[in-house]
Amino acid sequence: MMLKPSIQGLLFEELAAFCKTEGQPAFRAKQIWDWLYVKRVSSFDEMKNLPAPFRAQLAEAFTFQGLEKLETKGDSGETQKLLFKLGDNELIETVIIPSRTRKAFSDNNIHTCACVKSVPDEPRNTVCLSCQVGCRFGCAFCASGQKGLIRNLTAGEIVGEVMETAKLLGGRPDNVVFMGIGEPFDNYDEVMKAVRILNHPDGLCIGARRITISTCGVVSGIQRLAEEGLQVELSVSLHAPDEETRFKLMPVNASWPLDDLLEACRAYTEKTNRIITFEYTLIKDINDSETQARELVRLLRRFPCRVNLIPLSPVEEFDGERPDTETMKRFFQILENAGINTTLRDSKGSALKAACGQLRARRL
Ligand code: SAH
């Protein structure tokens, strides 16, 4: 099915080029950009300062994002999970997570998600975006990849996710993380395009440092990102400190073994001066031992980084459990004692069946 492109998939320069081709004055693109991302209207008809015939031309050429919201789970102010239908009836999900101040770990504050950025003082919202329909990397514990990859999202659909959440929040989100369904570096170009649209100073103006890209370890993507000159945050899903365990959990390790991955991370840090966050999902009796914690310390001593420990969010498809609190605390403490900046977070989505890919998986 050939879908009309979304206007929200255009870079500002592309919009300007379209306006020029249509014989419009140079300021037209700025006006449209403003309607889209500052005033955040939801139809071309609302763009009052554009001539009506040009509005009709725009409507002929483009859609407005093309996401239809099917379901919202959770209350406003809490974690909310949105299920969207795309133009070709495929499903994706987006999660809104309010972040509050929190210290590294205490018994009663393990209730956030891998996606949350801890920001002191003010309440903030983090939006967790999907970048693909399905995923082809098949991590054992992840609901997103159980049925493989269906297709990439376009930049317009990704930006559309943000615009839909902005409607609910009554403003743009503070942080954006690519930690929903899909592997950002397997859809590199559209993800980067979306990042540039979200980051545009005259539009949503979401700072690059407030945008996090999370990869399961696609080394070629890490190398490419190092050359972009963008200040985005990079997270790497590590989940194991040795090749054998990692390979069991993450088939991607066959293409890019742990050694190569860490070397790419070291090179990235050196080139960009940016600190990588390593995600480590703790799974009972699989990757949660003290020996493994010490092994992780040994691996990560080569360069400055942060570690984000996430208790496994149980999914039907994976026969694994989260470790008990004592075990997680011990793991955390070994990293902390070694001077590695570590947080222990919970997947808040789990109560809502909102952990990565679960809402979509339930509908399939
Ligand atoms: N493909 C990217 C981003 C998507 S997943 C990546 O792998 O990083 C975002 C994070 O959630 C990853 O660290 C992923 O490993 C983790 N995750 C997926 N399923 C999970 C589960 N059931 N419990 C805990 N973490 C999970």
Side-chain angles (χ1 to χ4, degrees), residues 141-142 178-180 182-183 214-216 237 239 279 281 312-313 356:
F141 47 81
C142 178
F178 284 89
M179 290 188 180
E183 165 53 43
S214 179
T215 179
C216 64
S237 299
H239 305 323
E279 307 291 337
T281 295
L312 176 75
S313 169
C356 301

Side-chain angles (χ1 to χ4, degrees), residues 114-115 128 135 137 139 141-144 178-184 213-217 235-239 250 279-282 310-315 318 347 355-356 358:
C115 327
C128 183
C135 178
F137 288 88
C139 297
F141 47 81
C142 178
S144 301
F178 284 89
M179 290 188 180
I181 300 170
E183 165 53 43
I213 295 180
S214 179
T215 179
C216 64
S235 276
V236 173
S237 299
L238 204 59
H239 305 323
M250 306 179 76
E279 307 291 337
Y280 194 105
T281 295
L282 286 164
I310 318 146
L312 176 75
S313 169
V315 293
F318 179 62
S347 168
C356 301
Q358 280 178 284

Side-chain angles (χ1 to χ4, degrees), residues 134-192:
C135 178
R136 68 189 174 95
F137 288 88
C139 297
F141 47 81
C142 178
S144 301
Q146 306 291 339
K147 298 216 164 60
L149 174 69
I150 311 281
R151 70 167 173 89
N152 284 331
L153 296 193
T154 61
E157 288 166 331
I158 297 169
V159 174
E161 292 179 69
V162 178
M163 299 312 290
E164 284 291 328
T165 59
K167 263 192 220 164
L168 268 181
L169 295 170
R172 58 163 198 187
D174 302 292
N175 303 303
V176 167
V177 296
F178 284 89
M179 290 188 180
I181 300 170
E183 165 53 43
F185 289 158
D186 195 35
N187 184 18
Y188 191 95
D189 293 332
E190 294 300 303
V191 166
M192 282 310 151

